[in-house]
């Protein structure tokens, strides 16, 4: 079986360099925006460069696609893996010192959800943590005393207590609004920082709940990007025992992707909450 160890090691090296940059660099804006129209911070660009440099040392990697770059880029003609990454997700939260993260989707020879073989994310918070989803295991690591130390594996319960609803309520559909209200009336707690990495990480570690980012009036197809953000987290959630669907009720990992920057609506969570989404939002079951 092929080992992804050199890829995971490159991600660890990148994570430590990005953590260093977050600590030491300022939060100035760069004079440009990325493909999705987000204004880039100098730190977004620096994090992107760090990851591209570390991945260029791994011959197994054929191509990379970054949220911060318009087009995918070939690294090694003889490589096999395609890696899509969001170098610094939630970077607009850095100036208020909230947690941010890096997200990686590792695809086998094609930019397609059906070819996703592993996903990794790193959380830069008060502590630096990494989660890898590969070979049926969701492994959780914490950076401590100079190395990533493995903790217990992550497993979602069937029903959680947290509700993380993205986007502004003004843009929500009536069905989505009533879903969110119904969860609150069942006693769910609001836990939403505005960074998908810490928000999804919190739900995973606290046993379950729902993270949602629906299609809205201004972004009917959703905001979060398939290749760099939603597919990798859908992979993590499924391996942890959860479910990930879009607002039509289609399994996220069955969706197609025709452009590296394509977005989708998404609902990720434990079983109970996603069954509710299927009934209340998608009109299924
Ligand atoms: P950001 O724009 O700060 O990069 O990547 C998109 C993202 O953050 C996610 O991390 C986050 O979940 C979402 O946008 C937050 O968007 P809203 O403020 O619209 O809820
Ligand atoms: Zn992002």
């Amino acid at each position: 079986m092929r080992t992804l160890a050199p890829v995971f090691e490159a991600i660890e090296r990148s994570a430590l360099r990005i953590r260093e940059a977050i600590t030491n660099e300022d939060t100035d804006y760069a004079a440009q925006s990325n493909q999705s129209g987000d204004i880039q911070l100098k730190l977004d660009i620096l994090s992107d460069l760090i990851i591209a440099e570390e991945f260029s040392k791994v011959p197994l990697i054929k191509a990379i696609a970054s949220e911060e770059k318009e087009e995918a880029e070939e690294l090694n003609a003889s490589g096999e893996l395609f890696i899509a990454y969001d170098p610094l997700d939630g970077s607009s939260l850095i100036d208020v010192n909230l947690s941010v993260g890096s997200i990686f989707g590792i695809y086998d020879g094609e930019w397609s959800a059906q070819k996703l073989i592993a996903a990794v994310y790193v959380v830069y918070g008060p502590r630096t943590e990494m989660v890898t989803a590969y070979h049926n295991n969701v492994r959780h690591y914490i950076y401590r005393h100079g190395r990533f130390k493995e903790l217990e594996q992550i497993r979602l319960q069937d029903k959680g207590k947290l509700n993380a609803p993205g986007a502004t309520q003004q843009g929500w559909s009536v069905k989505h609004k009533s879903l969110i209200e119904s969860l609150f009336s069942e006693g769910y707690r609001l836990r939403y920082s505005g960074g998908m990495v810490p928000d999804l990480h919190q739900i995973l570690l606290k046993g379950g709940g729902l993270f949602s980012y629906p299609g809205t009036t201004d972004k009917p197809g959703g905001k979060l990007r398939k290749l760099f953000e939603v597919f990798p987290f859908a992979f993590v959630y499924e391996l942890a025992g959860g479910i990930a669907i879009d607002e039509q009720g289609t399994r996220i990992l069955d969706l197609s992707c025709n452009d590296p920057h394509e977005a989708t609506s998404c609902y990720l969570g434990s079983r109970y909450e996603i069954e509710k989404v299927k009934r209340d939002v998608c009109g299924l079951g």
Side-chain angles (χ1 to χ4, degrees):
M1 194 181 301
R2 177 177 46 196
T3 170
L4 295 188
V7 175
F8 295 148
E9 284 159 18
I11 291 175
E12 288 185 14
R13 292 194 300 273
S14 305
L16 298 183
R17 291 176 62 188
I18 293 171
R19 190 185 63 139
E20 202 62 21
I22 293 170
T23 306
N24 295 316
E25 302 293 329
D26 58 37
T27 55
D28 291 354
Y29 286 106
Q32 60 193 73
S33 350
N34 66 15
Q35 177 67 11
S36 309
D38 305 327
I39 304 164
Q40 286 173 306
L41 296 181
K42 288 180 184 163
L43 265 172
D44 288 314
I45 297 169
L46 181 58
S47 306
D48 185 38
L49 288 173
I50 288 172
I51 293 170
E53 191 181 296
E54 294 297 344
F55 280 166
S56 69
K57 299 174 189 164
V58 183
L60 195 58
I61 303 174
K62 184 178 176 73
I64 53 173
S66 161
E67 196 202 315
E68 305 301 335
K69 285 195 196 83
E70 199 169 332
E71 303 285 346
E73 194 182 303
E74 181 165 292
L75 286 185
N76 298 293
S78 57
E80 296 164 27
L81 302 176
F82 284 42
I83 305 190
Y85 60 92
D86 184 349
L88 202 53
D89 179 77
S91 56
S92 61
L93 301 173
I94 289 186
D95 59 353
V96 289
N97 204 16
L98 284 174
S99 298
V100 294
S102 302
I103 312 167
F104 303 85
I106 301 166
Y107 300 85
D108 194 3
E110 223 179 286
W111 300 116
S112 145
Q114 294 77 54
K115 295 287 183 175
L116 196 50
I117 53 170
V120 179
Y121 67 84
V122 180
V123 193
Y124 312 100
R127 314 191 293 189
T128 301
E129 297 186 22
M130 179 173 73
V131 171
T132 65
Y134 183 47
H135 276 160
N136 292 323
N137 295 310
V138 183
R139 299 181 189 275
H140 181 199
Y141 300 85
I142 184 162
Y143 187 70
R144 204 174 263 170
H145 303 302
R147 70 180 185 97
F148 280 94
K149 178 185 182 316
E150 189 169 351
L151 304 172
E152 279 181 13
Q153 290 206 16
I154 297 177
R155 193 79 205 151
L156 278 167
Q157 288 158 20
D158 274 353
K159 182 178 188 308
K161 299 190 176 87
L162 307 183
N163 188 12
T168 47
Q169 295 192 25
Q170 271 175 318
W172 290 354
S173 68
V174 173
K175 283 182 175 173
H176 182 75
K177 197 165 183 200
S178 66
L179 166 86
I180 299 303
E181 278 166 5
S182 165
L183 285 170
F184 285 134
S185 66
E186 284 184 40
Y188 280 75
R189 286 173 188 277
L190 174 65
R191 289 291 182 269
Y192 190 74
S193 73
M196 77 178 295
V197 176
D199 288 337
L200 282 161
H201 187 59
Q202 178 167 203
I203 290 172
L204 279 171
L205 294 192
K206 302 280 188 194
L210 181 71
F211 174 94
S212 51
Y213 206 108
T216 55
T217 41
D218 57 334
K219 288 189 175 147
K223 171 185 182 187
L224 300 176
R225 269 75 32 132
K226 290 177 175 176
L227 278 190
F228 322 106
E229 295 173 321
V230 186
F231 289 169
F233 268 110
F235 193 85
V236 173
Y237 265 63
E238 284 198 358
L239 274 195
I243 308 179
I245 58 172
D246 70 2
E247 66 196 358
Q248 279 71 43
T250 306
R251 178 177 173 247
I252 293 284
L253 295 178
D254 285 337
L255 293 175
S256 61
C257 184
N258 302 311
D259 179 275
H261 294 271
E262 203 171 296
T264 178
S265 57
C266 62
Y267 292 83
L268 295 97
S270 27
R271 288 182 178 276
Y272 172 83
E273 292 82 3
I274 298 290
E275 291 310 326
K276 188 174 170 66
V277 174
K278 285 185 183 165
R279 280 193 312 271
D280 297 3
V281 177
C282 316
L284 302 170

